[in-house]
Amino acid sequence: DVQMTQSLSYLAASPGESVSISCKASKSISNYLAWYQQKPGEAYKLLIYSGSTLQSGTPSRFSGSGSGTDFTLTIRSLEPEDFGLYYCQQYYEKPLTFGSGTKLEIK
Amino acid sequence: EVQLQESGPGLVKPSQSLSLTCSVTGYSITSNYWGWIRKFPGNKMEWMGYISYSGSTSYNPSLKSRISITRDTSKNQFFLQLNSVTTEDTATYYCARRMVADYWGQGVMVTVSS
């Protein structure tokens, strides 16, 4: 299975700051990577797919980059509503696998 | 709007079967792919498997001998059955559309305990 590693399990930042969340695959997955946001009481939200393509409805302050094994989700100018859990997921091969999640807390 | 809603018992005894239903509105399950994903305590996520628009299935090999995903197209529902559960199957279970999951249910928490 492709192992997905999110090295940061927790991150705290203030509104207006920019943050980056990294995700590393154990083998090359090209750009078959998605990012999700989970907030308490809400359904998971697909933010980005194909490594860098914003899902419809995702604010433009979110961006994704990377290919191969190293990927980054960047949130520019944090808004208070951006708190939550962020997961990466590879869909290059089955079984699909997820990173361990990064909890973003707004200071 | 596409909506998914999981339902099923919140408590299952060890060695028994876990059965969940995902009811879909706003979109036909005879199109696209429909999957089950679970989140364990501590936030680890696991893709369990999917059923396709044609009814074909694909399962995570870690579950292959215990899992079955089926559907009822007349009710626009699909189902998860997980056999011989243990306490390690305690998790929140989600149904979702597509492998890059663009629509999710709210999740149902299932505890395996005697």
Side-chain angles (χ1 to χ4, degrees):
Chain A
D1 299 1
V2 180
Q3 302 268 54
M4 304 300 295
T5 301
Q6 291 179 244
S7 53
L8 266 181
S9 58
Y10 174 82
L11 181 59
S14 299
E17 291 183 346
S18 293
V19 297
S20 292
I21 298 171
S22 67
C23 176
K24 188 175 181 69
S26 60
K27 62 181 271 189
S28 177
I29 58 169
S30 184
N31 66 340
Y32 290 85
L33 185 102
W35 288 98
Y36 300 92
Q37 177 194 58
Q38 188 202 18
K39 296 167 68 170
E42 297 184 15
Y44 277 77
K45 183 178 178 183
L46 171 64
L47 298 172
I48 286 170
Y49 60 94
S50 297
S52 60
T53 302
L54 264 60
Q55 171 71 354
S56 174
T58 300
S60 58
R61 62 181 180 274
F62 289 85
S63 63
S65 62
S67 67
T69 61
D70 293 292
F71 300 86
T72 303
L73 171 70
T74 300
I75 312 172
R76 290 183 295 105
S77 194
L78 272 173
E79 298 282 345
E81 63 264 28
D82 295 334
F83 74 93
L85 261 173
Y86 290 83
Y87 289 92
C88 61
Q89 176 213 4
Q90 67 81 20
Y91 52 100
Y92 178 76
E93 64 181 38
K94 287 179 273 186
L96 313 183
T97 48
F98 292 85
S100 54
T102 298
K103 184 176 182 179
L104 174 61
E105 196 170 276
I106 307 297
K107 287 181 185 174
Chain B
E1 184 190 1
V2 181
Q3 293 188 326
L4 295 85
Q5 179 67 60
E6 305 89 349
S7 59
L11 181 64
V12 181
K13 288 182 166 40
S15 79
Q16 293 189 345
S17 294
L18 179 162
S19 295
L20 298 175
T21 298
C22 183
S23 300
V24 180
T25 57
Y27 196 91
S28 172
I29 64 167
T30 58
S31 297
N32 236 304
Y33 292 79
W34 304 89
W36 289 95
I37 298 160
R38 61 182 178 176
K39 180 179 176 182
F40 298 99
N43 293 335
K44 179 187 172 186
M45 301 270 296
E46 180 179 61
W47 173 77
M48 301 181 74
Y50 69 68
I51 186 164
S52 78
Y53 53 89
S54 66
S56 64
T57 55
S58 178
Y59 301 133
N60 192 319
S62 69
L63 301 166
K64 199 170 181 101
S65 61
R66 297 196 293 136
I67 188 174
S68 176
I69 299 176
T70 57
R71 65 179 184 171
D72 183 337
T73 57
S74 68
K75 294 182 178 178
N76 218 38
Q77 295 175 326
F78 63 104
F79 311 101
L80 171 69
Q81 181 169 317
L82 187 65
N83 299 323
S84 305
V85 298
T86 72
T87 56
E88 294 187 356
D89 294 308
T90 292
T92 300
Y93 288 76
Y94 298 90
C95 57
R97 185 181 83 164
R98 298 181 61 220
M99 283 184 275
V100 180
D102 56 355
Y103 288 95
W104 296 64
Q106 293 278 359
V108 59
M109 190 179 300
V110 179
T111 300
V112 179
S113 175
S114 54

